[in-house]
């Protein structure tokens, strides 16, 4: 039985990952900022897996390095965390970010800097015991800057590079770093895009691929798998052609 900590546990993808792990009887600690939503997710998991220990931790500050260290320290105080899933994030409108510098800064902080701080904080606890998996939810948006979402994409690009560096640093250890890159997924975060008719992946299917990748210690996983091909094409497009596309 593993002990799993989920940062941003009320996100749609994280909740479905938690259901899969609860189904295996693992113990879960759910971390988030909304106590009522955390309690609702925990109650659902307890029904699905009465044998699992399901705890919650309400934390208000995901940005401050000292606050992040305290959250992770509290999670690792009693016994080591086997898997840390870092799943929190926001998806504001690109035009709104262009018009509001504060919103753009917050978007990059929440989606880029904060996940990196959590990953590094978990590594400080996992490396000394030489075991554990740090899984970070990035995005296909981080693969190439596009006009429709480059503020969010820049933050996810930071996560991508950070995960690469940690994988390189920890390659000789038994600590694994898994970077998940979901495509557009039908969660609350993408409600505005869904209202415009954009096709979305099922969060349950995305969660299955992420959990399977964590099981294997796979460095990078696209979810659904088709996005690996799509983004390979997008990355390879010559700039003159790319600039003519409305993506």
């Amino acid at each position: 039985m593993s002990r799993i900590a989920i940062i941003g546990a009320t996100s749609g993808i994280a909740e479905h990952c938690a259901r899969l792990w609860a189904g295996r009887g693992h113990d879960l600690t759910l971390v988030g900022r909304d106590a009522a939503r955390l309690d609702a997710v925990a109650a659902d998991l307890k029904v699905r897996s009465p044998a699992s220990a399901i705890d919650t931790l309400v934390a208000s500050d995901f940005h401050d390095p000292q606050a992040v260290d305290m959250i992770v320290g509290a999670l690792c105080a009693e016994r080591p965390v086997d898997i840390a899933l870092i799943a929190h994030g926001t998806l504001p409108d690109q035009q709104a970010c262009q018009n509001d510098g504060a919103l753009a800064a917050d978007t990059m902080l929440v989606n880029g800097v904060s996940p990196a701080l959590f990953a590094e904080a978990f590594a400080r606890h996992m490396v000394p015991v030489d075991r554990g998996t740090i899984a970070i939810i990035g995005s296909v948006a981080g693969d190439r800057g596009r006009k429709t979402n480059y503020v969010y994409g820049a933050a996810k690009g930071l996560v991508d590079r950070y995960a690469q560096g940690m994988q390189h640093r920890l390659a000789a250890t038994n600590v694994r770093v898994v970077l998940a890159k979901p495509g557009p997924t039908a969660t609350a975060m993408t409600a505005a895009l869904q209202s415009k008719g954009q096709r979305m992946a099922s969060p349950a299917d995305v969660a299955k691929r992420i959990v399977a990748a964590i099981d294997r210690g796979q460095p990078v996983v696209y979810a659904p798998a088709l996005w690996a091909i799509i983004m390979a094409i997008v990355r390879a497009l010559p700039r003159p052609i790319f600039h003519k596309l409305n993506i």
Side-chain angles (χ1 to χ4, degrees):
M1 180 184 299
S2 296
R3 181 160 183 262
I4 300 171
I6 304 178
I7 311 299
T10 59
S11 80
I13 294 174
E15 184 175 354
H16 282 273
C17 289
R19 290 178 183 178
L20 294 171
W21 284 320
R24 300 177 182 179
H26 296 316
D27 294 338
L28 303 172
T29 300
L30 314 178
V31 183
R33 287 179 283 196
D34 187 324
R37 290 178 62 194
L38 275 181
D39 288 343
V41 173
D44 174 73
L45 294 173
K46 287 176 181 175
V47 171
R48 294 172 184 271
S49 181
S52 297
I54 311 293
D55 300 317
T56 60
L57 175 62
V58 179
S60 59
D61 192 345
F62 281 18
H63 303 165
D64 179 73
Q66 290 185 337
V68 169
D69 280 344
M70 290 181 64
I71 294 168
V72 175
L75 291 169
C76 299
E78 294 186 3
R79 62 186 175 107
V81 169
D82 299 294
I83 299 171
L85 175 63
I86 302 167
H88 60 291
T90 61
L91 182 60
D93 177 71
Q94 169 65 27
Q95 185 64 53
C97 289
Q98 292 170 207
N99 297 336
D100 184 344
L103 177 60
D106 186 67
T107 298
M108 289 186 277
L109 186 61
V110 171
N111 294 291
V113 175
S114 177
L117 290 174
F118 271 102
E120 203 66 70
F122 276 111
R124 283 193 283 273
H125 289 269
M126 291 182 177
V127 170
V129 297
D130 196 28
R131 68 182 180 90
T133 298
I134 301 166
I136 315 171
I137 295 186
S139 170
V140 296
D143 277 18
R144 187 167 187 177
R146 291 176 286 127
K147 64 182 179 182
T148 53
N149 67 353
Y150 63 81
V151 176
Y152 175 77
K156 292 301 187 182
L158 184 157
V159 170
D160 195 325
R161 290 296 177 271
Y162 209 95
Q164 284 181 9
M166 292 191 74
Q167 289 166 350
H168 189 198
R169 169 193 158 206
L170 301 174
T173 76
N174 289 311
V175 178
R176 299 288 174 260
V177 178
V178 176
L179 174 63
K181 296 186 179 185
T185 306
T187 65
M189 198 169 81
T190 60
L193 296 176
Q194 293 175 60
S195 68
K196 297 175 183 176
Q198 184 169 335
R199 292 183 63 184
M200 299 277 162
S202 154
D205 291 341
V206 169
K208 285 179 184 175
R209 278 191 59 80
I210 292 173
V211 169
I214 292 171
D215 289 342
R216 296 190 295 269
Q218 184 175 333
V220 179
V221 58
Y222 285 83
L226 179 62
W227 278 98
I229 300 172
I230 294 172
M231 295 315 298
I233 295 170
V234 171
R235 289 194 305 272
L237 284 173
R239 186 173 285 112
I241 296 174
F242 182 70
H243 284 182
K244 293 179 180 178
L245 301 178
N246 187 28
I247 59 175

